[in-house]
Amino acid sequence: MNQLLERPKIPNGDHFSGMQVRTISGLDAQQIADAKRSIMQDFIQVQANITQPQKDKEGMHGAKYATLNNILSSIKEASKGIDLAFIQQPLMQGGKSGVVNYLINSKGAIMDFGAYLLDVGGSKPQDAGGALTYARRYSISAIFGIASEEDTDAQEYNNRPWFYPPAEIRAIEVVYSSKRTPLPDVYAKALAGDELAKQVIRAKTNSAKVKIGIRSLNEIYEFNQEVLKSKDEEREQIEKENEAVKKIADDTSQKDNDPFNKIK
């Protein structure tokens, strides 16, 4: 599971969801503005120049993917003549391995995409190295809009179970406000009207597991609504019956207290 790290607010920094754009120290206000504007323009241009790399490797489940070398070659080719470079800083933390991704330019601007960490899954150095390579490939592909694997999401979605039990749903996390958050918490915020939560729940890029988790929550929510409706109807019926009994009792009481009822 990937993990986004908390980062402190930095002077001269602009924040876009999990991304932070800042500059090196020593620049005046105009230089800061020029540096940020330049790196954003060049980043957009490189993305436009990207040629999707060849998917020449086959994974464990038969899906083909592009190697890290092919992905980096595509990015470098698209960046020729453009004032933009990337850094993938390796990071190990709490049994996880991954990278912090940066884009930089010569004017002093830095785009910080934060950390992308994966569970190592073993005690061997090769396990940490494999997680690092995987994190580098996935994160840099996402940054530059590269489809590094064949799209098997629809097939995976259809092959998954129709419904997850609550315990499994609770274990599913999504990125909400730059933090890994349990899916049910974000779903509840969406129901309460939180616009960011709604965007997260409706995102077409959600994984198959997240989509099935959302579908399961929808099923649970609709079931609860039916139960509440049934209880409301039952309560209304009981109230009607109580009113009818009370009316009969009141009528009987009035007859008993009517002196004319005693005259024969």
Side-chain angles (χ1 to χ4, degrees):
M1 181 181 295
N2 68 320
Q3 175 182 338
L4 297 174
L5 300 183
E6 287 285 334
R7 286 169 291 161
K9 298 284 185 179
I10 297 177
N12 302 327
D14 295 307
H15 303 264
F16 305 94
S17 185
M19 181 183 72
Q20 189 178 86
V21 184
R22 62 182 190 270
T23 58
I24 60 173
S25 59
L27 303 181
D28 60 31
Q30 186 60 52
Q31 289 173 322
I32 290 171
D34 288 344
K36 289 182 179 179
R37 187 180 302 110
S38 178
I39 198 169
M40 293 297 288
Q41 290 173 343
D42 288 339
F43 175 48
I44 291 169
Q45 185 58 57
V46 171
Q47 274 208 354
N49 293 348
I50 287 282
T51 299
Q52 294 295 323
Q54 182 180 359
K55 300 176 181 65
D56 55 358
K57 282 285 185 178
E58 188 170 302
M60 291 178 60
H61 301 290
K64 290 187 176 181
Y65 67 93
T67 62
L68 178 61
N69 284 342
N70 283 353
I71 291 167
L72 298 185
S73 295
S74 291
I75 296 170
K76 290 174 182 177
E77 183 65 28
S79 305
K80 280 185 178 178
I82 297 177
D83 184 23
L84 189 72
F86 65 85
I87 299 171
Q88 290 192 293
Q89 178 184 350
L91 180 66
M92 285 286 292
Q93 181 175 339
K96 296 177 182 289
S97 178
V99 292
V100 182
N101 289 287
Y102 303 96
L103 300 183
I104 60 174
N105 67 6
S106 62
K107 294 183 178 181
I110 304 166
M111 295 177 74
D112 179 355
F113 291 87
Y116 187 89
L117 300 175
L118 297 169
D119 293 320
V120 171
S123 58
K124 297 179 181 178
Q126 295 93 325
D127 296 325
L132 173 59
T133 300
Y134 196 86
R136 289 184 65 193
R137 183 166 66 87
Y138 260 74
S139 59
I140 202 69
S141 296
I143 288 168
F144 283 98
I146 293 173
S148 61
E149 290 191 347
E150 290 179 336
D151 184 8
T152 59
D153 190 63
Q155 180 180 355
E156 181 184 3
Y157 181 72
N158 291 329
N159 290 338
R160 290 290 184 100
W162 175 259
F163 182 85
Y164 286 142
E168 289 188 37
I169 298 173
R170 187 69 190 171
I172 301 173
E173 293 183 333
V174 292
V175 178
Y176 171 79
S177 192
S178 301
K179 298 177 183 177
R180 301 295 302 182
T181 307
L183 176 60
D185 293 354
V186 180
Y187 187 90
K189 290 178 184 292
L191 288 179
D194 187 304
E195 291 300 324
L196 177 58
K198 288 180 183 179
Q199 292 175 19
V200 173
I201 294 298
R202 293 170 179 167
K204 294 182 179 179
T205 54
N206 283 331
S207 68
K209 187 171 185 177
V210 170
K211 289 176 182 175
I212 294 171
I214 293 169
R215 184 171 64 186
S216 301
L217 287 169
N218 287 338
E219 294 274 343
I220 293 170
Y221 176 77
E222 290 173 5
F223 175 76
N224 286 338
Q225 291 298 103
E226 288 295 323
V227 171
L228 290 174
K229 181 180 177 182
S230 176
K231 285 185 176 181
D232 288 341
E233 291 173 351
E234 183 180 352
R235 189 181 300 112
E236 289 176 5
Q237 182 62 31
I238 292 173
E239 288 174 355
K240 287 179 181 179
E241 291 175 357
N242 288 340
E243 284 294 325
V245 171
K246 184 174 181 298
K247 188 174 183 302
I248 293 171
D250 289 343
D251 290 344
T252 302
S253 176
Q254 288 175 7
K255 285 182 179 181
D256 290 342
N257 294 330
D258 188 348
F260 291 103
N261 288 336
K262 299 177 181 179
I263 299 175
K264 297 183 179 178

